[in-house]
Coordinates of all heavy atoms in Angstrom, one line a residue:
A320 N 19.4 -16.1 -24.3 CA 18.6 -15.1 -23.8 C 18.9 -14.7 -22.4 O 19.0 -15.6 -21.5 CB 17.1 -15.5 -23.9
M321 N 19.1 -13.5 -22.1 CA 19.5 -13.0 -20.7 C 18.4 -12.6 -19.9 O 18.5 -12.3 -18.7 CB 20.6 -11.9 -20.9 CG 21.8 -12.4 -21.6 SD 23.1 -11.1 -21.8 CE 23.6 -10.9 -20.0
Y322 N 17.2 -12.4 -20.5 CA 16.0 -11.9 -19.8 C 14.8 -12.7 -20.2 O 14.6 -13.2 -21.3 CB 15.8 -10.4 -20.1 CG 17.0 -9.6 -19.9 CD1 17.8 -9.2 -21.0 CD2 17.4 -9.2 -18.6 CE1 18.9 -8.4 -20.8 CE2 18.6 -8.5 -18.4 CZ 19.3 -8.1 -19.5 OH 20.4 -7.3 -19.3
R323 N 13.9 -12.8 -19.2 CA 12.6 -13.5 -19.5 C 11.6 -12.6 -20.2 O 11.7 -11.4 -20.1 CB 12.0 -14.0 -18.2 CG 13.0 -14.8 -17.3 CD 12.3 -15.3 -16.0 NE 13.3 -15.7 -15.1 CZ 13.9 -16.9 -15.1 NH1 13.7 -17.8 -16.1 NH2 14.8 -17.2 -14.2
K324 N 10.6 -13.2 -20.8 CA 9.6 -12.5 -21.5 C 8.5 -12.0 -20.5 O 8.2 -12.7 -19.6 CB 8.9 -13.3 -22.6 CG 7.8 -12.6 -23.3 CD 7.3 -13.5 -24.5 CE 6.5 -14.7 -24.0 NZ 5.9 -15.4 -25.2
L325 N 8.1 -10.7 -20.7 CA 7.0 -10.2 -19.9 C 6.3 -9.1 -20.7 O 6.8 -8.6 -21.7 CB 7.4 -9.7 -18.6 CG 8.2 -8.3 -18.5 CD1 8.3 -7.9 -17.0 CD2 9.5 -8.4 -19.1
K326 N 5.1 -8.7 -20.3 CA 4.4 -7.7 -21.0 C 5.0 -6.3 -20.6 O 5.5 -6.1 -19.5 CB 2.9 -7.6 -20.5 CG 2.1 -8.8 -21.0 CD 1.9 -8.8 -22.5 CE 1.0 -10.0 -23.0 NZ 0.8 -10.0 -24.4
A327 N 4.9 -5.4 -21.6 CA 5.5 -4.1 -21.4 C 4.7 -3.4 -20.2 O 5.3 -2.7 -19.4 CB 5.3 -3.2 -22.7
K328 N 3.4 -3.6 -20.1 CA 2.7 -3.0 -19.0 C 3.2 -3.5 -17.7 O 3.3 -2.8 -16.7 CB 1.2 -3.3 -19.1 CG 0.3 -2.6 -18.1 CD -1.1 -2.9 -18.2 CE -1.9 -2.0 -17.3 NZ -1.5 -2.1 -15.9
T329 N 3.5 -4.8 -17.6 CA 4.0 -5.4 -16.3 C 5.3 -4.8 -15.9 O 5.5 -4.5 -14.8 CB 4.2 -6.9 -16.5 OG1 2.9 -7.5 -16.9 CG2 4.7 -7.6 -15.2
F330 N 6.1 -4.6 -16.9 CA 7.4 -3.9 -16.7 C 7.2 -2.5 -16.2 O 7.8 -2.1 -15.2 CB 8.3 -3.9 -17.9 CG 9.7 -3.5 -17.7 CD1 10.7 -4.4 -17.5 CD2 10.1 -2.1 -17.7 CE1 12.0 -4.0 -17.2 CE2 11.4 -1.7 -17.4 CZ 12.3 -2.7 -17.2
G331 N 6.3 -1.7 -16.9 CA 6.1 -0.4 -16.5 C 5.5 -0.3 -15.1 O 5.9 0.6 -14.3
D332 N 4.6 -1.2 -14.8 CA 3.9 -1.1 -13.4 C 5.0 -1.4 -12.3 O 4.9 -0.9 -11.2 CB 2.8 -2.1 -13.4 CG 1.6 -1.7 -14.2 OD1 1.5 -0.5 -14.6 OD2 0.7 -2.6 -14.5
G333 N 5.9 -2.3 -12.7 CA 6.9 -2.7 -11.7 C 8.0 -1.6 -11.4 O 8.6 -1.6 -10.4
F334 N 8.1 -0.6 -12.3 CA 9.1 0.4 -12.2 C 9.0 1.2 -10.9 O 10.0 1.4 -10.2 CB 9.1 1.3 -13.4 CG 10.0 2.5 -13.2 CD1 11.4 2.4 -13.4 CD2 9.5 3.7 -12.9 CE1 12.2 3.5 -13.1 CE2 10.3 4.8 -12.7 CZ 11.7 4.7 -12.8

Side-chain angles (χ1 to χ4, degrees):
M321 300 180 67
Y322 307 102
R323 308 181 196 282
K324 180 172 73 173
L325 75 168
K326 292 291 184 184
K328 184 180 187 308
T329 302
F330 190 93
D332 290 345
F334 169 78

